């Protein structure tokens, strides 16, 4: 059965000083060289970060737009995928708002404009694979929960259109496992579940946010997640990537990495088994 190596990484805006993009970028490259993800969901990818990613992630193609104008302004929540394995069948970005299909400002009392980017990928040997990626609000519980509900609705619609495709939803959800947004994502009626609790093997099952400080993340649960469709994917392993290359931080968040395996043979184009 096909396997998928999936990562989620909040980049933290292009900060200055010891945590400047120019310093942290090579650390990110080191991390990706080590874990070799097939698909990656990034958050807080500013236009400057997008330029760096497109210029330095050899072998990857990125999908996504800036949240402020639907083109090149504001934070991106892009999905990057391996060009040697996948081709893009469909994809796009929608806004976490009451008008998701057009550029929208902050909705439901959110502090920021929020988006979700998705990429429906055709594995050159194994069929279709869907990666959705987001960054929900850190202030408004209503915004984060309604945004999560919208994402799950869009996921269900895509699976209705293309069949029961293997799918992941990655992102910074700004809530630990006791939060309301986590409850929405893991509700029994949800099409996805937390890869952490499906994993045959867990590594560093700890918190993911450290704010560039030496905090004890073992006392926390993550705020970054990789949710998967358990009807089509098994989880071989789950890891909070606590690597600090050269003693320095990649970001103020640790990455989430999951090794997944399809439960059935990949789907052919058009969603047919």
């Amino acid at each position: 059965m096909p396997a998928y190596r999936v990562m989620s990484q909040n980049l933290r805006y292009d900060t200055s000083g010891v945590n400047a993009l120019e310093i942290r970028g090579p650390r990110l490259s080191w991390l990706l060289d080590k874990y070799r993800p097939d698909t990656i969901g990034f958050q807080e990818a500013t236009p400057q970060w997008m330029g760096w990613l497109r210029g330095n992630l050899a072998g990857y193609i990125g999908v996504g737009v800036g949240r402020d104008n639907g083109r090149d302004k504001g934070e991106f929540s892009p999905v990057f995928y391996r060009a040697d394995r996948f081709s893009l069948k469909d994809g796009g970005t929608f806004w976490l708002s009451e008008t998701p299909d057009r550029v929208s400002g902050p909705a439901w009392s959110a502090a920021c404009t929020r988006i979700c980017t998705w990429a429906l990928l055709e594995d050159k040997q194994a069929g279709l694979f869907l990666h959705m990626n987001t960054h929900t609000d850190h202030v408004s519980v209503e915004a984060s929960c309604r945004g999560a509900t919208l994402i799950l609705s869009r996921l269900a619609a895509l699976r209705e259109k293309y069949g029961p495709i293997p799918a992941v939803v990655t992102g910074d959800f700004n809530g630990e496992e006791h939060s309301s947004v986590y409850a929405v994502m893991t509700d029994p009626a949800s099409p996805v579940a937390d890869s952490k609790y499906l994993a045959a093997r867990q590594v560093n099952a700890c918190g993911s946010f450290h704010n560039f400080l030496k905090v004890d993340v073992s006392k926390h649960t993550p705020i970054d997640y990789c949710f998967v469709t358990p009807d089509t994917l098994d989880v071989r392993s789950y890891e909070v990537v606590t690597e600090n290359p050269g003693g320095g931080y990649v970001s103020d968040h640790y990455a989430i990495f999951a090794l997944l395996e399809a439960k059935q043979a990949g789907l052919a184009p058009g969603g047919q088994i």
Side-chain angles (χ1 to χ4, degrees), residues 89 122-123 125-129 162-163 165 265-273:
K89 182 177 180 65
E122 187 162 353
D123 190 316
Q125 296 184 344
L128 300 179
F129 180 75
Y162 291 104
I165 49 179
L267 300 177
Q272 300 300 313
I273 296 177

Side-chain angles (χ1 to χ4, degrees), residues 87-155:
S87 60
L88 184 67
K89 182 177 180 65
D90 200 356
T93 296
F94 58 90
W95 277 255
L96 304 188
S97 76
E98 294 180 345
T99 54
D101 295 315
R102 66 172 186 258
V103 178
S104 310
W108 306 308
S109 302
C112 305
T113 300
R114 300 296 184 179
I115 57 175
C116 177
T117 293
W118 59 281
L120 181 64
L121 305 171
E122 187 162 353
D123 190 316
K124 295 178 180 179
Q125 296 184 344
L128 300 179
F129 180 75
L130 174 65
H131 189 148
M132 306 181 78
N133 181 59
T134 193
H135 185 184
T136 62
D137 203 60
H138 62 296
V139 171
S140 170
V141 174
E142 179 187 9
S144 60
C145 289
R146 293 184 70 167
T149 299
L150 176 59
I151 290 167
L152 295 178
S153 175
R154 289 294 177 104
L155 170 58

Side-chain angles (χ1 to χ4, degrees), residues 26-266:
R27 297 173 185 163
L28 175 63
S29 291
W30 180 92
L31 196 72
L32 299 182
D33 287 344
K34 178 176 180 178
Y35 283 84
R36 298 177 291 106
D38 295 306
T39 64
I40 319 159
F42 291 111
Q43 304 87 43
E44 293 193 31
T46 60
Q48 291 78 13
W49 261 118
M50 288 300 294
W52 190 94
L53 294 170
R54 287 170 172 154
N56 289 275
L57 298 193
Y60 287 91
I61 296 173
V63 176
V65 297
R67 67 188 184 185
D68 290 353
N69 65 356
R71 298 185 301 278
D72 55 1
K73 185 178 179 182
E75 177 185 319
F76 290 63
S77 292
V79 174
F80 276 70
Y81 62 90
R82 275 177 44 195
D84 64 339
R85 178 171 182 180
F86 300 103
S87 60
L88 184 67
K89 182 177 180 65
D90 200 356
T93 296
F94 58 90
W95 277 255
L96 304 188
S97 76
E98 294 180 345
T99 54
D101 295 315
R102 66 172 186 258
V103 178
S104 310
W108 306 308
S109 302
C112 305
T113 300
R114 300 296 184 179
I115 57 175
C116 177
T117 293
W118 59 281
L120 181 64
L121 305 171
E122 187 162 353
D123 190 316
K124 295 178 180 179
Q125 296 184 344
L128 300 179
F129 180 75
L130 174 65
H131 189 148
M132 306 181 78
N133 181 59
T134 193
H135 185 184
T136 62
D137 203 60
H138 62 296
V139 171
S140 170
V141 174
E142 179 187 9
S144 60
C145 289
R146 293 184 70 167
T149 299
L150 176 59
I151 290 167
L152 295 178
S153 175
R154 289 294 177 104
L155 170 58
L158 285 167
R159 297 187 93 207
E160 183 176 353
K161 179 178 180 180
Y162 291 104
I165 49 179
V168 299
V169 181
T170 58
D172 173 3
F173 284 79
N174 275 307
E176 292 195 22
E177 291 174 13
H178 55 77
S179 66
S180 297
V181 68
Y182 184 82
V184 171
M185 294 299 296
T186 58
D187 184 88
S190 171
V192 297
D194 189 346
S195 60
K196 173 181 175 180
Y197 292 106
L198 298 176
R201 175 175 177 262
Q202 293 181 355
V203 181
N204 298 329
C206 58
S208 59
F209 179 67
H210 56 78
N211 199 28
F212 294 120
L213 301 172
K214 293 182 179 180
V215 299
D216 186 359
V217 291
S218 67
K219 296 181 179 179
H220 298 273
T221 61
I223 65 172
D224 304 89
Y225 299 97
C226 176
F227 298 104
V228 306
T229 47
D231 60 337
T232 54
L233 289 168
D234 285 320
V235 184
R236 290 186 190 172
S237 65
Y238 165 92
E239 181 175 355
V240 179
V241 182
T242 57
E243 305 268 9
N244 291 319
Y249 294 111
V250 174
S251 174
D252 60 343
H253 291 237
Y254 289 128
I256 303 296
F257 176 78
L259 178 59
L260 313 174
E261 183 176 60
K263 286 187 174 181
Q264 59 185 1

